[in-house]
Amino acid sequence: QVQLVESGGGSVQAGGSLRLSCAASGDTVTTYCMGWFRQAPGKEREGVAVFDSDAHTTYPDSAKGRFTISKDNAKNILYLQMNNLKPDDSAIYYCAARVSPCFSGSWALRRGGDGMDYWDYWGKGTLVTISA
């Protein structure tokens, strides 16, 4: 199995930027579909960026143009660059890994369905707080 540890969260003003990191150990990030999710108080966990192949990434409309997912295979680290942050971006951000095959399009942003979690491994999260 793989262990995931997020870092880089913090508190910033609206319009600012943050870069989150997810350090993987026990296995390589190339073995899995990798993604970032977030969960705000009282809301369901939602996908914000998925790196489901070396050639394709998927983002929801709320993140397109502002968030960028990337990875460093040599260092075994997944990143999430977040720009032009908004108060609605405030949440705990989680790194997730799924055993292949990867979903495509909007399916890749789902946490699960019918009582089943589509993602096999989760980090414990890092808190992001955006002030207006």
Side-chain angles (χ1 to χ4, degrees):
Q1 66 176 21
V2 64
Q3 293 80 48
L4 306 172
V5 180
E6 304 94 337
S7 63
S11 180
V12 298
Q13 294 289 111
S17 299
L18 281 174
R19 191 191 194 197
L20 307 183
S21 298
C22 172
S25 61
D27 208 341
T28 64
V29 294
T30 59
T31 302
Y32 305 93
C33 316
M34 303 297 300
W36 287 96
F37 289 71
R38 69 185 181 190
Q39 187 165 24
K43 297 183 179 180
E44 295 185 346
R45 192 170 299 184
E46 62 177 354
V48 295
V50 174
F51 195 31
D52 53 5
S53 75
D54 288 338
H56 189 263
T57 57
T58 300
Y59 305 90
D61 289 341
S62 61
K64 288 181 180 177
R66 300 190 301 123
F67 291 9
T68 303
I69 187 172
S70 63
K71 62 179 179 176
D72 186 327
N73 291 336
K75 295 183 177 180
N76 214 26
I77 298 176
L78 183 76
Y79 300 103
L80 180 66
Q81 178 66 47
M82 303 187 292
N83 299 325
N84 300 317
L85 286 162
K86 305 174 181 180
D88 285 346
D89 294 320
S90 297
I92 298 175
Y93 282 72
Y94 299 89
C95 176
R98 171 183 161 81
V99 177
S100 298
C102 302
F103 288 120
S104 298
S106 61
W107 285 88
L109 299 172
R110 295 184 177 187
R111 180 181 184 179
D114 296 326
M116 181 177 68
D117 196 335
Y118 292 171
W119 296 82
D120 300 289
Y121 303 99
W122 295 91
K124 293 186 177 181
T126 185
L127 179 63
V128 171
T129 302
I130 313 301
S131 301

